[in-house]
């Protein structure tokens, strides 16, 4: 007992001495006297300029604590440009557990923290020089072995709580001219003890300048960590974002994300599970996993978006969709897909996308985030694009008026002598967008409705890269026939170059003209081949630079508004010096075949082999179209049989001497007049009449000579024939 009592007195004495010693140390030792040494150590070890604006407060027992105020950290090369500023900070470590390699920390408190991150015009960040610099390795003396550092034994870590208040982070990228700011940041946690769940709360405001937008962030979660196994977990994630700004037309938009997250650094895996996303009435679920985090990152997952009203959703985020031609378009949208991606790509595989009554299946996504490389391969049964196109807006205050038909407009064009409107110089193609477009995709639809036309078995395939946009395939059925086309827009050329190759087969030519409101010129089954190029970016430039070739063939049709029989009879009557007793033929001229080929140079279209096969008439011609000024000049030659009816018009009868004569018709004028500009070429008819009169006179002289001389004086008879050119 006596020994125990003595030991107790000794321990008590030692404890009193320790307390007295700590008291003396904390009172006699002032860490503020060592600010310069601390700052120099920061320069040597961390390569930063450390400014301690306030006094250093500290304690030794039972907590090893420190308090700092007005702390500034700046890159050593730019000491006047702070990287971080701390208004006040305090933390404490319990002393005795340190002897058991247990790190027991009190509340860690940071207030008024500011981080200023800047990337300059050359792409260098002001934080990149922070931290220990690479030491220069010196050769070891001969025979010495490099020292092998023993791994430190891990501490058992526990922190009562972490509180960060009134923090702000700004990021300025002078290369892109963008600024991102995180303001009013507040972070608080419960007790951080390894292997035990801890509540985490985060509040803040994100401000973007491009586009101008503010996002309020509110995050609640339960964290769990295992430092030895390098496993970290966030359960019951509840993230709420409230955004407003230019993209939302001043509206407030709320998004909520829930789920569970895991990170296993040892296995190099991460996952987001049981994801639930809500935005207005949109509800989505899914999961996402990542592997090989520090290597070739791979992403995999799934996404399921339940049916929602996209029209209302877009309106709720400030997007105007009221102008669609169908006021109920986009009311039913749903999607399912499998996610596949990397650090720089994300594709929606096995995609099933439903938009109202249309369903598309296939794949779509971005193959390269940086290049915005779009990839898609979609197919469907029916797609009505007209429902989603903008409807024509009525002029404000205008009375609805039913337009009167244009004078003389109808089959064969108009009769107006007014010149047409000049071609527009307004740009047609978004060249800046096309120059940077990166896309590769294909769309296959059994029935496509666009611009009021229904296309059957429609296929479109496009590829765009490096300023070159290629239409690899465009084909489908429309107007009773089929078409195929390909083309290219080369924005690298100056001016831009546009090339188109097109084939039409067995198309209803009248339906084409009616669909695109072109004055009717002809009807029949149309075959056409076109291979043309143009330069520039307006209709005016295209019409002035158009070049290439074309051919067409129309069968079993009619020239509308053209009565070739009437015009041929007028030509014969003119040659016969008689007048027609009544009109001949019909308003339209039926034909078995209309065909020709063209050469195109700088907007001028020329042909020398135009052929029209009309019952009783064979017509051939030549001429040209001046597309820049929208004028035409065609000359036709008609080989005709004359009036073969039961009661023929004497003025239109063709005797033997007219059999091989091509009666001239000329079509001259503006393109919108077309066939209405065709008529008898009176100048050519006068020449023909003169030749016929001369031939008739010679024939009569020969008959009189033959009658007078008979077989007598053959030398004189042959001489007279020679004089007559026979």
């Amino acid at each position: 007992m006596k020994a125990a009592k003595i030991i107790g007195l000794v321990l008590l004495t030692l404890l009193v001495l320790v307390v007295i010693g700590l008291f003396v140390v904390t009172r006699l030792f002032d860490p503020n006297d060592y600010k310069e040494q601390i700052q120099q150590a920061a320069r040597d070890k961390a390569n930063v300029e450390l400014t301690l604006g306030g006094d250093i407060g500290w304690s030794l027992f039972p907590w090893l604590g420190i308090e700092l105020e007005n702390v500034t950290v700046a890159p050593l090369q730019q000491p006047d440009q702070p990287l971080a500023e701390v208004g006040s900070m305090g933390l404490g470590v319990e002393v005795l557990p340190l002897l058991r390699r247990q790190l027991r920390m009190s509340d860690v408190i940071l207030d008024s923290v500011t981080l200023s991150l800047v990337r300059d015009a050359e792409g260098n960040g002001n934080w990149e020089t922070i931290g220990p610099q690479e030491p220069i390795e010196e050769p070891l003396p001969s025979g010495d072995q490099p020292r092998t550092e023993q791994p430190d034994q891990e501490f058992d870590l526990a922190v009562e709580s972490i509180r960060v208040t009134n923090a702000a982070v700004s990021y300025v990228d002078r290369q892109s001219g963008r600024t991102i700011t995180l303001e009013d940041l507040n972070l608080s946690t419960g007790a951080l003890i390894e292997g035990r769940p801890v509540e985490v709360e985060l509040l803040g405001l994100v401000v973007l300048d491009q586009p101008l937008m503010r996002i309020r962030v509110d995050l609640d979660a339960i964290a769990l960590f295992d430092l030895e196994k390098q496993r970290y977990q966030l359960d019951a994630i509840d993230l709420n974002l409230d955004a407003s700004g230019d993209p939302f037309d001043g509206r407030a938009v709320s998004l909520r994300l829930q789920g569970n997250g895991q990170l296993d650094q040892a296995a190099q895996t991460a996952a987001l599970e049981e994801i639930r996303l809500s935005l207005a009435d949109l509800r989505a679920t899914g999961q996402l996993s990542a592997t090989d985090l520090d290597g070739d990152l791979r992403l995999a997952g799934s996404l399921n978006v339940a049916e929602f009203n996209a029209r209302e959703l877009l309106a709720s985020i400030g997007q105007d969709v009221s102008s669609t031609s169908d006021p109920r378009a986009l009311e039913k949208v749903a999607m399912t897909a499998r996610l596949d991606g990397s650090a720089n790509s994300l594709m929606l595989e096995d995609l099933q996308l439903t938009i109202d009554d249309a369903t598309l299946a296939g794949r779509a996504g971005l193959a390269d985030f940086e290049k915005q490389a779009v990839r898609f391969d979609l197919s469907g049964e029916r797609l009505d694009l007209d429902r989603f196109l903008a409807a024509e807006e009525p002029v404000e205050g205008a009375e609805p008026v039913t337009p009167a038909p244009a004078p003389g407009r109808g089959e064969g064009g108009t009769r107006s002598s007014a010149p047409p409107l000049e071609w527009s110089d307004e740009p047609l193609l978004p060249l800046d967008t096309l120059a940077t477009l990166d896309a590769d995709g294909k769309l296959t639809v059994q029935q496509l409705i666009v611009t009021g036309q229904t296309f059957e078995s429609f296929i479109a395939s496009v590829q765009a890269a490096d300023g070159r946009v290629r239409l690899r395939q465009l084909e489908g059925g429309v107007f009773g026939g089929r078409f195929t086309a390909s083309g290219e827009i080369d924005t690298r050329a100056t001016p831009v170059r546009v090339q188109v190759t097109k084939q039409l087969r067995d198309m209803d030519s009248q339906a084409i003209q009616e669909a695109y409101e072109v004055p009717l010129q002809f009807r029949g089954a149309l075959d056409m081949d076109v291979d043309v190029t143009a330069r520039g970016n307006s209709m005016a430039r295209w019409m002035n630079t158009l070049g290439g070739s074309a051919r067409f063939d129309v069968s079993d049709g009619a020239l509308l508004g053209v009565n070739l029989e009437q015009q041929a009879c007028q030509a014969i009557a003119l040659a016969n010096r008689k007048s027609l007793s009544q009109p001949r033929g019909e308003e339209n001229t039926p034909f078995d075949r209309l065909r020709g080929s063209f050469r195109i140079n700088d907007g001028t279209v020329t042909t020398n082999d135009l052929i029209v096969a009309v019952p009783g008439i064979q017509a051939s011609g030549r001429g040209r179209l001046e597309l820049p000024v929208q004028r035409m000049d065609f000359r036709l030659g008609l080989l005709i049989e004359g009036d073969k009816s039961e009661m023929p018009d004497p003025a239109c009868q063709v005797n033997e001497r007219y059999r091989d004569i091509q009666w001239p018709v000329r079509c001259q004028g503006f393109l919108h007049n077309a066939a209405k500009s065709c008529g008898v070429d009176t100048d050519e008819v006068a020449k023909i009449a003169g030749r016929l009169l001369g031939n008739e006179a010679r024939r009569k002289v020969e008959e009189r000579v033959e009658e007078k001389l008979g077989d007598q004086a053959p030398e004189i008879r042959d001489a007279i024939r020679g004089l007559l050119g026979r």
Side-chain angles (χ1 to χ4, degrees):
M1 283 294 291
K2 190 175 182 179
K5 187 175 182 179
I6 293 173
I7 293 174
L9 290 173
V10 171
L11 292 177
L12 179 60
T13 303
L14 290 175
L15 180 59
V16 171
L17 290 174
V18 169
V19 171
I20 293 173
L22 291 175
F23 177 80
V24 172
V25 170
T26 56
R27 290 298 180 270
L28 299 180
F29 175 75
D30 187 358
N32 291 285
D33 295 336
Y34 297 89
K35 280 186 177 181
E36 181 58 38
Q37 290 88 332
I38 296 173
Q39 292 172 325
Q40 187 59 48
R43 297 185 190 102
D44 297 338
K45 301 299 183 181
N47 200 41
V48 297
E49 185 63 41
L50 177 65
T51 302
L52 302 173
D55 289 338
I56 303 175
W58 72 299
S59 63
L60 275 179
F61 191 83
W63 295 89
L64 178 60
I66 188 170
E67 294 180 1
L68 300 174
E69 292 183 352
N70 301 325
V71 180
T72 300
V73 176
L76 197 57
Q77 297 79 5
Q78 299 169 316
D80 58 338
Q81 299 180 18
L83 173 66
E85 297 177 84
V86 180
S88 65
M89 65 176 293
L91 60 88
V93 178
E94 198 171 357
V95 176
L96 293 180
L98 290 174
L99 303 177
R100 301 188 296 271
R101 304 198 66 81
Q102 294 177 337
L103 186 59
R104 297 290 183 262
M105 300 179 67
S106 63
D107 297 334
V108 177
I109 301 174
L110 297 172
D111 182 59
S112 300
V113 179
T114 301
L115 290 179
S116 300
L117 307 177
V118 179
R119 186 178 294 279
D120 62 24
E122 286 72 38
N124 301 314
N126 64 343
W127 63 90
E128 293 178 356
T129 59
I130 301 300
Q133 304 302 297
E134 291 291 333
I136 300 175
E137 295 186 2
E138 298 181 358
L140 294 173
S142 178
D144 288 357
Q145 297 297 323
R147 182 183 301 172
T148 302
E149 295 185 1
Q150 298 297 324
D152 294 334
Q153 184 177 344
E154 295 290 340
F155 271 88
D156 179 8
L157 175 65
V159 181
E160 288 190 5
S161 71
I162 295 177
R163 293 202 308 273
V164 179
T165 56
N166 303 317
V169 179
S170 69
Y171 172 73
V172 178
D173 189 337
R174 290 174 181 159
Q175 275 190 321
S176 63
R178 299 191 62 184
T179 299
I180 302 174
T181 305
L182 180 57
E183 303 174 352
D184 301 329
L185 178 63
N186 292 275
L187 171 68
S188 64
T189 73
L192 273 69
I193 301 175
E194 190 171 359
R196 296 184 185 179
V198 54
E199 293 184 0
V200 178
E201 295 181 2
L202 174 69
L203 293 173
L205 177 66
V206 179
V207 180
L208 308 177
D209 69 330
Q210 297 181 18
L212 185 60
M213 189 163 56
R214 297 167 64 88
I215 306 170
R216 177 65 65 182
V217 180
D218 185 351
L219 171 66
D220 291 325
I222 297 177
L224 189 67
F225 61 94
D226 187 327
L227 297 177
E228 183 178 356
K229 295 182 179 179
Q230 295 183 292
R231 292 179 183 172
Y232 309 90
Q233 191 169 322
L234 275 182
D235 292 332
I237 298 172
D238 191 355
L239 173 64
N240 291 274
L241 303 177
D242 296 315
S244 61
D246 290 349
F248 311 118
D249 194 26
R251 296 174 181 264
V253 177
S254 298
L255 180 144
R256 187 178 188 185
L257 175 66
Q258 297 172 293
N260 301 316
Q262 298 177 1
L263 171 64
D264 189 331
Q265 285 188 318
Q268 287 287 285
T269 62
L272 279 174
E273 299 175 341
E274 301 180 24
I275 299 174
R276 299 179 300 283
L277 175 70
S278 61
L279 174 64
D281 72 334
L282 180 149
R283 300 292 182 269
T285 59
Q287 59 88 23
L288 181 66
S289 63
T291 57
D292 199 4
L293 300 182
D294 293 337
D296 185 12
L297 177 70
R298 296 304 308 171
L299 301 174
S302 63
L303 178 63
N304 188 339
V305 180
E307 183 178 301
F308 68 100
N309 190 325
R311 195 177 191 87
E312 292 183 357
L313 173 64
L314 292 171
S316 71
I317 61 176
Q319 308 303 310
D320 182 18
V321 293
S322 61
S323 60
T324 56
S325 59
D326 185 347
R328 302 198 61 181
L330 301 174
E331 286 189 349
K332 296 180 180 180
V333 177
M335 183 183 73
T336 62
R338 177 174 58 84
L339 305 180
D340 181 40
S342 67
N344 196 38
S345 67
L346 183 63
M347 295 297 298
L348 303 178
E349 304 285 355
D350 302 329
L351 174 65
Q352 291 286 332
L353 175 63
T354 300
I355 306 176
D356 297 330
D357 60 348
T359 299
L360 297 175
R363 64 192 301 267
L366 291 175
D368 190 313
F369 293 150
E370 183 177 355
K371 295 181 179 180
Q372 294 292 291
V374 178
R375 301 291 183 265
F376 64 91
D377 187 353
L378 300 172
S379 62
E381 292 294 324
R382 185 178 185 273
L383 179 60
D384 185 352
L385 289 181
D386 282 346
R387 299 181 65 236
F388 313 113
L389 299 179
E392 294 185 3
E393 297 183 3
V395 179
E396 185 177 351
E399 295 280 339
V401 177
T402 303
R409 178 166 179 169
E411 294 183 348
T414 72
R415 297 183 184 277
S416 171
S417 60
L421 295 176
E422 294 183 356
W423 298 112
S424 172
D425 263 321
E426 289 296 317
L428 294 175
L429 302 174
L431 295 184
D432 291 341
T433 300
L434 296 179
T436 58
L437 182 64
D438 190 318
D440 193 337
K442 182 177 182 181
L443 175 65
T444 304
V445 183
Q446 292 304 310
Q447 187 181 78
L448 175 70
I449 301 174
V450 63
T451 64
Q453 307 307 320
T454 300
F455 296 83
E456 305 292 341
S457 302
F458 177 84
I459 301 175
S461 177
V462 64
Q463 182 183 48
D466 302 323
R468 184 183 178 195
V469 182
R470 294 177 54 217
L471 181 63
R472 294 180 297 198
Q473 181 183 15
L474 181 68
E475 65 177 67
V478 68
F479 302 124
R482 290 198 61 79
F483 69 90
T484 60
S486 60
E488 179 178 284
I489 301 172
D490 191 350
T491 65
R492 302 169 300 178
T494 304
V496 60
R497 177 180 177 273
V498 180
Q499 182 271 330
V500 175
T501 300
K502 182 186 296 185
Q503 297 85 37
L504 309 181
R505 294 293 179 266
D506 202 28
M507 288 226 176
D508 184 340
S509 58
Q510 182 173 342
I512 297 175
Q513 296 167 85
E514 290 173 343
Y516 297 104
E517 299 181 352
V518 176
L520 296 180
Q521 313 290 348
F522 62 93
R523 65 169 178 258
L526 171 66
D527 288 354
M528 177 179 283
D529 295 292
V530 178
D531 187 356
V532 293
T533 61
R535 290 185 176 273
N537 190 27
S538 68
M539 286 300 299
R541 289 292 301 155
W542 290 350
M543 291 300 102
N544 280 279
T545 61
L546 190 68
S549 61
R551 58 159 294 276
F552 75 97
D553 191 331
V554 186
S555 59
D556 299 327
L559 295 174
L560 304 180
V562 180
N563 187 344
L564 285 183
E565 184 178 350
Q566 171 75 9
Q567 294 178 10
C569 281
Q570 286 178 340
I572 295 172
L574 183 62
N576 286 334
R577 297 186 177 184
K578 296 180 181 180
S579 298
L580 292 174
S581 59
Q582 61 183 1
R584 311 300 301 177
E586 301 177 357
E587 182 181 1
N588 302 326
T589 301
F591 58 79
D592 296 325
R593 175 148 292 178
L594 169 65
R595 68 173 182 265
S597 62
F598 300 94
R599 298 298 304 173
I600 309 170
N601 184 35
D602 292 336
T604 298
V605 183
T606 58
T607 179
N608 293 310
D609 59 359
L610 187 64
I611 294 177
V612 186
V614 177
I617 303 175
Q618 290 293 325
S620 61
R622 57 186 173 81
R624 66 181 183 178
L625 302 173
E626 298 285 351
L627 294 179
V629 294
Q630 304 179 59
R631 294 190 66 90
M632 65 178 180
D633 187 1
F634 282 89
R635 296 177 183 271
L636 302 177
L638 309 182
L639 284 172
I640 56 179
E641 297 178 0
D643 190 347
K644 295 286 187 174
S645 62
E646 294 181 359
M647 299 181 65
D649 191 321
C652 190
Q653 286 185 300
V654 180
N655 57 39
E656 289 298 328
R657 63 182 184 276
Y658 294 172
R659 287 296 180 201
D660 297 326
I661 294 178
Q662 285 190 333
W663 298 96
V665 173
R666 190 173 188 180
C667 300
Q668 186 179 28
F670 292 115
L671 293 180
H672 63 260
N673 294 336
K676 297 295 185 184
S677 299
C678 295
V680 175
D681 190 342
T682 54
D683 292 339
E684 291 298 321
V685 169
K687 294 178 183 178
I688 292 173
R691 289 197 301 270
L692 291 175
L693 288 175
N695 291 340
E696 182 65 14
R698 286 191 291 270
R699 185 183 64 78
K700 289 183 177 181
V701 169
E702 287 184 4
E703 288 180 352
R704 297 295 294 274
V705 170
E706 189 70 28
E707 180 182 334
K708 294 294 184 180
L709 298 179
D711 294 333
Q712 303 176 11
E715 293 84 357
I716 297 175
R717 183 187 62 197
D718 292 341
I720 293 174
R721 286 180 175 176
L723 290 173
L724 296 175
R726 309 291 281 181

